[in-house]
Amino acid sequence: ALFCTFALFALFALFVNILCGKQISIDECCKDGRVRGIDNQDCTAIPLISESTTCRIVQEQCCAAVLEDTICTSGINTAKDQGACDTQFTGSTCETKTAKMCCDCCLLGRAAREQGLTCDHSLSLGYQCGLVSRACCDDGAPDLETSNSLVSDKDNETLTEKENPLPSNLCSNGLAKCAQECVGNSTCACFKGYKLKPDGKSCEDINECLLGASNCRGGEHCINTVGSFRCQREVSCGTGYELTDSNNCKDIDECESGTHNCSPDFECQNTQGSFRCLPKNQCGDGYIQDAMGSCIDINECLAQTEPCHPGQLCVNTVGSFTCQRNSINCGRGYHLNDGGNRCLDIDECKGPDGACAGHGCINLVGSFRCECKAGFIFNSISRVCEDINECRHYSGRICAHKCENVLGSYKCSCTQGFKLASDGRNCDDLNECESSPCSQECANVYGSYQCYCRRGYQLSDIDGINCEDIDECALPTGGHICSYRCNNTPGSFYCTCPATGYTLAPNGRSCQDVDECVTGTHTCSETQSCFNVQGGFRCLSFECPPNYRQAGEIRARVERSDTIRCVKSCQPNDISCVLDPVHSVSHTVISLPTFREFTKPEEIVFLRTMSPAHSSPQLSSDIVFDILEGNVQNSFDIVKRQEHGMIVGVVRQVKPLIGSLNMVLKLAMNYVTSGVVSHRNIVNVHIFVSEFWF
């Protein structure tokens, strides 16, 4: 921090920057940074006085230098006062490390002085540690070159150059090469505020603030400068004062500087730290001046104690007062007699109604009193009987619900849903359901009633009384209430199924397929096989192609798992038949719905073989499944799978199909040996897609 400060001060003396269109010197940037460092502000976040990068760097470094000098000074003072550092500085913060370094280095310099060693030792210490060590060493034994007394900036400005002693030959011929002064015998010396470096020629600044050699007073902060120091107040002067060049607080004359806010009708008078506004025009006797300078009449009859003689009446006038002789004035309740010299009592109770307006009246000397009726109270100020507001005086104690004041009494009433009890004060619950306010069901509750509806109805959002039919078919889940069609009825609903092929299930919602083949309601002939499909039936007739014969009998009713199989049966010497690789032609039937939600492939047919999944490597045999015909829009595929150690071909529906739709899917099971199809089985899958999903 010390060498940063020296480098910056040298820079201040040489350069001036033009910042933001204003002539702001680097000295001003540093001065602002040092002031903020004295106030212990964060040097990395101080307000910038210029947009210049150079000024910002100077502000931050000068601020950091002040903080580091303060921390280092605390470490040096600890070394001087305590003589130990280890127990005083604990922790790993940057401030603690800096203070402990300065404390340790100061102890090192003091040890060198006590052992009679030179202060300019040759240890390879850091630059700042070396400065602190030499400063603490020199503190008790100052160099001859720096034995002159330390001076402040003000005194240093008046110093003149020292008169050089008679130079020796080396001084006169310039061979000594001294940085500041040559004093004979080629001996170099330094000006006040400097001391000679170990090389015997160069000079370095003495930090009077670190040595505690400044003459700063209490409340002032020492700031080291090149060759000297200066004292700066730690606390500002406050409002109404300004800091002078001599570091003292001087009153600001706002009247002279024109910074007061007195209006034209007032005259400014300066005071210590402030000022006063005095009116230019002075008021005469009998007036007082307000804050705005206006003259206000003084009411002497009120401001003074009996300004007139006894028997006289004081009458205020503008700017003064007059005294008038008293006349006989009878007070309230009295009247002057006919002679005009006596006051007699007035009987206010005389007359038809008297003074109490129908209430009892009792005359008193100089006054009267009313005996008020029940519900009224006598007002001693207005002297009349006033109605008592029982609802206000006895709030919450005379009526259970609402209280209404009437002349001389009160009246209780109840809120909606209640009726007044026989005592005229309490409220009983009113059973509104007796008047049948609801369209269906009514439940009486305390102070009100609640309408509710029977099953299949809902309460109206408009009046909360009438019940409206719930259209179950229109609810968000209405599409799932019935399998086929939902029909709303008042308070309920019913489901229906397609006209043919289905019947309503016992749950009243689902549609069940009618198996016409079982019930015998089909129209298939004896030579045809009946196959039930969802919502109907199909009459099927399977004939084997030439050179093939049907295995098994023709069935009158075909189930989904049934297979009609035609095996090859060649005529003698029919070589082409023998060479035909197709060994069998099979027919199977399947009924599919129109899938309402098709999210993944559906497995519909399983082609099971007698071939093991893991054949001998020497045989090199395999089974290849293929779709030859009828794959509409590539809606099906076939995959090979292993089940229970055997090869199985699985036919899957991979795309949705919308019925009604009929198709025949021709499949091939190719038995391959050594890469050649040895024989083939054909499977015709008759697919009937219903138009419904159920």
Side-chain angles (χ1 to χ4, degrees):
L2 294 174
F3 71 84
C4 292
T5 304
F6 300 151
L8 286 173
F9 273 117
L11 185 65
F12 299 159
L14 296 176
F15 301 103
V16 172
N17 257 341
I18 299 178
L19 307 174
C20 299
K22 298 180 180 180
Q23 295 284 348
I24 300 179
S25 67
I26 300 183
D27 286 334
E28 292 175 329
C29 298
C30 183
K31 181 178 179 181
D32 179 81
R34 293 185 68 86
V35 168
R36 300 185 186 280
I38 293 172
D39 293 340
N40 288 323
Q41 297 186 18
D42 185 0
C43 296
T44 61
I46 58 177
L48 303 180
I49 63 175
S50 169
E51 296 180 356
S52 169
T53 303
T54 303
C55 185
R56 176 186 61 79
I57 295 173
V58 172
Q59 276 184 276
E60 293 180 357
Q61 294 302 320
C62 288
C63 174
V66 170
L67 293 178
E68 292 183 9
D69 285 349
T70 302
I71 296 170
C72 188
T73 301
S74 68
I76 294 173
N77 292 337
T78 301
K80 291 180 180 181
D81 298 338
Q82 306 293 331
C85 303
D86 293 337
T87 59
Q88 304 298 322
F89 301 101
T90 58
S92 59
T93 62
C94 183
E95 293 80 358
T96 303
K97 292 180 179 179
T98 301
K100 188 175 184 303
M101 181 272 291
C102 291
C103 180
D104 290 338
C105 295
C106 183
L107 290 179
L108 183 63
R110 292 168 65 91
R113 184 189 66 200
E114 293 172 358
Q115 296 176 13
L117 302 176
T118 177
C119 294
D120 296 321
H121 49 73
S122 60
L123 297 177
S124 299
L125 303 175
Y127 182 75
Q128 186 174 6
C129 183
L131 289 178
V132 172
S133 175
R134 287 196 295 274
C136 290
C137 180
D138 294 337
D139 189 18
D143 294 339
L144 293 175
E145 293 84 351
T146 61
S147 60
N148 294 324
S149 61
L150 301 172
V151 295
S152 64
D153 281 345
K154 183 175 180 181
D155 297 332
N156 196 39
E157 292 175 357
T158 60
L159 291 177
T160 60
E161 295 183 355
K162 292 183 179 180
E163 295 181 1
N164 292 330
L166 294 176
S168 65
N169 292 335
L170 291 177
C171 291
S172 60
N173 57 24
L175 296 178
K177 297 183 179 179
C178 295
Q180 292 187 357
E181 290 184 313
C182 184
V183 296
N185 290 330
S186 68
T187 300
C188 297
C190 298
F191 300 144
K192 289 182 178 181
Y194 296 87
K195 71 173 184 177
L196 202 61
K197 285 187 176 181
D199 61 5
K201 296 180 180 180
S202 303
C203 296
E204 64 181 357
D205 173 57
I206 297 174
N207 193 332
E208 295 85 356
C209 299
L210 284 178
L211 295 176
S214 65
N215 57 355
C216 295
R217 297 169 294 180
E220 294 182 338
H221 179 72
C222 177
I223 299 177
N224 185 60
T225 61
V226 180
S228 184
F229 67 93
R230 63 186 177 90
C231 300
Q232 181 172 311
R233 286 176 58 90
E234 294 181 350
V235 182
S236 63
C237 292
T239 305
Y241 294 90
E242 62 182 350
L243 189 65
T244 64
D245 294 337
S246 60
N247 210 34
N248 294 319
C249 291
K250 176 186 175 183
D251 172 59
I252 299 174
D253 191 343
E254 294 85 356
C255 300
E256 182 179 348
S257 62
T259 57
H260 63 85
N261 58 353
C262 297
S263 63
D265 295 335
F266 288 79
E267 183 178 357
C268 177
Q269 180 183 8
N270 186 59
T271 61
Q272 283 295 321
S274 184
F275 63 93
R276 297 181 63 185
C277 297
L278 302 178
K280 294 181 179 180
N281 299 325
Q282 300 297 323
C283 296
D285 295 337
Y287 295 90
I288 188 172
Q289 202 160 33
D290 62 6
M292 301 304 295
S294 302
C295 294
I296 301 174
D297 172 56
I298 299 174
N299 190 341
E300 294 85 356
C301 298
L302 298 177
Q304 300 180 20
T305 304
E306 297 181 359
C308 298
H309 297 293
Q312 291 183 330
L313 177 66
C314 177
V315 179
N316 184 62
T317 61
V318 178
S320 184
F321 67 95
T322 59
C323 295
Q324 298 178 357
R325 186 174 180 179
N326 279 333
S327 59
I328 297 176
N329 182 22
C330 295
R332 188 172 68 170
Y334 295 88
H335 65 91
L336 199 62
N337 64 358
D338 295 336
N341 56 0
R342 285 184 59 192
C343 290
L344 302 177
D345 173 57
I346 299 175
D347 188 356
E348 294 88 353
C349 295
K350 286 183 178 180
D353 295 329
C356 295
H359 296 272
C361 180
I362 299 175
N363 184 60
L364 302 175
V365 177
S367 182
F368 68 96
R369 179 167 55 87
C370 293
E371 293 289 341
C372 299
K373 299 177 182 178
F376 294 86
I377 188 172
F378 182 68
N379 189 326
S380 60
I381 298 176
S382 62
R383 310 192 69 77
V384 295
C385 289
E386 295 178 344
D387 172 54
I388 298 175
N389 191 336
E390 294 86 356
C391 299
R392 182 184 303 165
H393 286 283
Y394 310 105
S395 177
R397 289 183 287 172
I398 56 176
C399 293
H401 285 187
K402 295 189 293 184
C403 178
E404 180 184 359
N405 185 63
V406 295
L407 189 63
S409 185
Y410 63 93
K411 183 172 65 174
C412 296
S413 60
C414 300
T415 56
Q416 186 177 2
F418 295 89
K419 60 182 179 180
L420 198 63
S422 58
D423 60 4
R425 298 175 59 184
N426 293 305
C427 293
D428 295 333
D429 176 52
L430 179 64
N431 189 351
E432 296 88 351
C433 294
E434 293 178 351
S435 60
S436 302
C438 302
S439 63
Q440 289 188 1
E441 303 295 336
C442 177
N444 184 61
V445 295
Y446 188 70
S448 184
Y449 66 97
Q450 178 65 50
C451 295
Y452 62 95
C453 302
R454 302 185 189 98
R455 184 176 180 180
Y457 294 88
Q458 63 182 359
L459 203 61
S460 172
D461 294 333
I462 300 175
D463 55 18
I465 295 176
N466 293 307
C467 292
E468 300 173 346
D469 172 55
I470 298 175
D471 188 352
E472 294 85 355
C473 301
L475 294 176
T477 58
H480 300 281
I481 293 178
C482 299
S483 296
Y484 178 60
R485 183 167 297 161
C486 178
N487 302 276
N488 186 60
T489 60
S492 185
F493 68 97
Y494 67 93
C495 299
T496 58
C497 296
T500 60
Y502 291 93
T503 182
L504 195 63
N507 61 10
R509 296 188 180 187
S510 303
C511 292
Q512 292 181 340
D513 174 55
V514 176
D515 192 341
E516 293 85 356
C517 299
V518 174
T519 59
T521 57
H522 63 85
T523 58
C524 298
S525 65
E526 295 181 355
T527 59
Q528 292 177 323
S529 298
C530 178
F531 176 69
N532 183 65
V533 298
Q534 289 173 290
F537 64 93
R538 295 291 184 274
C539 296
L540 305 178
S541 178
F542 301 106
E543 296 182 357
C544 294
N547 295 323
Y548 289 87
R549 62 179 177 81
Q550 182 173 339
E553 299 178 355
I554 298 176
R555 301 179 184 179
R557 176 169 168 262
V558 179
E559 299 288 345
R560 174 171 177 166
S561 59
D562 292 344
T563 301
I564 292 85
R565 188 162 178 262
C566 298
V567 296
K568 186 166 66 173
S569 178
C570 297
Q571 298 295 327
N573 302 321
D574 192 345
I575 303 302
S576 61
C577 176
V578 173
L579 296 178
D580 187 356
V582 178
H583 282 194
S584 67
V585 177
S586 301
H587 297 271
T588 187
V589 187
I590 185 171
S591 176
L592 297 177
T594 296
F595 289 105
R596 184 163 55 178
E597 295 179 357
F598 191 88
T599 58
K600 61 180 181 179
E602 294 286 339
E603 298 178 352
I604 59 174
V605 177
F606 294 86
L607 304 179
R608 305 187 183 277
T609 69
M610 300 302 294
S611 298
H614 304 284
S615 60
S616 174
Q618 291 78 11
L619 297 178
S620 182
S621 61
D622 192 10
I623 298 179
V624 178
F625 298 94
D626 192 12
I627 300 177
L628 302 179
E629 298 176 4
N631 194 0
V632 179
Q633 299 178 357
N634 292 322
S635 300
F636 302 91
D637 68 359
I638 184 168
V639 295
K640 186 165 66 174
R641 184 186 298 170
Q642 298 177 10
E643 289 187 3
H644 306 293
M646 308 301 288
I647 297 176
V648 177
V650 181
V651 180
R652 305 184 305 172
Q653 180 182 347
V654 295
K655 291 183 180 180
L657 292 173
I658 300 175
S660 62
L661 184 65
N662 301 334
M663 65 184 69
V664 178
L665 198 64
K666 187 175 183 180
L667 310 176
M669 299 170 56
N670 300 305
Y671 292 82
V672 180
T673 302
S674 300
V676 178
V677 176
S678 61
H679 65 279
R680 173 185 298 168
N681 292 335
I682 300 298
V683 179
N684 295 304
V685 181
H686 298 261
I687 301 174
F688 301 96
V689 182
S690 172
E691 63 176 310
F692 305 110
W693 63 271
F694 46 85

